Amino acid sequence: GESVGLHLPTLSVQEGDNSIINCAYSNSASDYFIWYKQESGKGPQFIIDIRSNMDKRQGQRVTVLLNKTVKHLSLQIAATQPGDSAVYFCAERPRGQNFVFGPGTRLSVLP
Amino acid sequence: GAGVSQSPSNKVTEKGKDVELRCDPISGHTALYWYRQSLGQGLEFLIYFQGNSAPDKSGLPSDRFSAERTGGSVSTLTIQRTQQEDSAVYLCASSPQGGGDSPLHFGNGTRLTVT
């Protein structure tokens, strides 16, 4: 997959604002999607998932939106907190295949 | 309960030496994955084990890389004759089943530095 190397896309938001992290996926056969959060020195941590028969799913302070028409996935974080600062990855699972991970977006929460 | 455990957390080795990285998956998880993550980059798939089936080795970058999973539980990733470009974080993940709608649960990785 594509990679942006050391220069990850970065989203900077003010503490308390809402964050929207976007992901374009590539395979129209993908039927399961996951958002992960990765903090420095740790492995990716599951946030929320969604199946292709849904277009929206909500968790605690997070919402995932799926637009299959344009192959777009987004993660919305409400009332962003300093602890939300991390790199966020989307992952798609083409039917019958292994997960494919996006390049990641760095979220920076400003005080 | 206990998550995915990887050891060592850090490994520094000299170019040309062999290294072994260990992964203890979550108990009862039948699917086990190895990924590689280079600095500031995404996750590169290496190998996938599912139960007693033959592993999917399609992501291994060269024949210097191999992995095994004993007794359907612990897995070891071996890199022979390490090169500087092998420096990365090696992540292991497990899930209750492969191919189903279950997320991968990751360990914290082994940071490998080849000098």
Side-chain angles (χ1 to χ4, degrees), chain A residues 5 32 36 38 43 51 93 98, chain B residues 37 40 56 99-101 104 107-108:
Chain A
Y32 180 52
Y36 284 93
Q38 187 175 27
R51 293 167 179 75
R93 201 274 316 279
N98 288 318
Chain B
Q37 185 174 36
D56 176 357
D101 294 347
L104 306 186
N108 284 329

Side-chain angles (χ1 to χ4, degrees), chain B residues 50-112:
Chain B
Q50 171 54 48
N52 295 322
S53 302
D56 176 357
K57 304 179 181 180
S58 61
L60 295 178
S62 77
D63 59 8
R64 295 187 296 105
F65 288 72
S66 63
E68 62 178 26
R69 188 179 186 191
T70 54
S73 180
V74 172
S75 177
T76 303
L77 177 70
T78 301
I79 309 173
Q80 295 178 309
R81 305 181 302 282
T82 51
Q83 304 295 312
Q84 289 187 330
E85 60 262 30
D86 299 334
S87 296
V89 175
Y90 289 82
L91 291 162
C92 176
S94 69
S95 72
Q97 60 184 79
D101 294 347
S102 300
L104 306 186
H105 300 262
F106 285 87
N108 284 329
T110 293
R111 180 176 299 278
L112 175 66

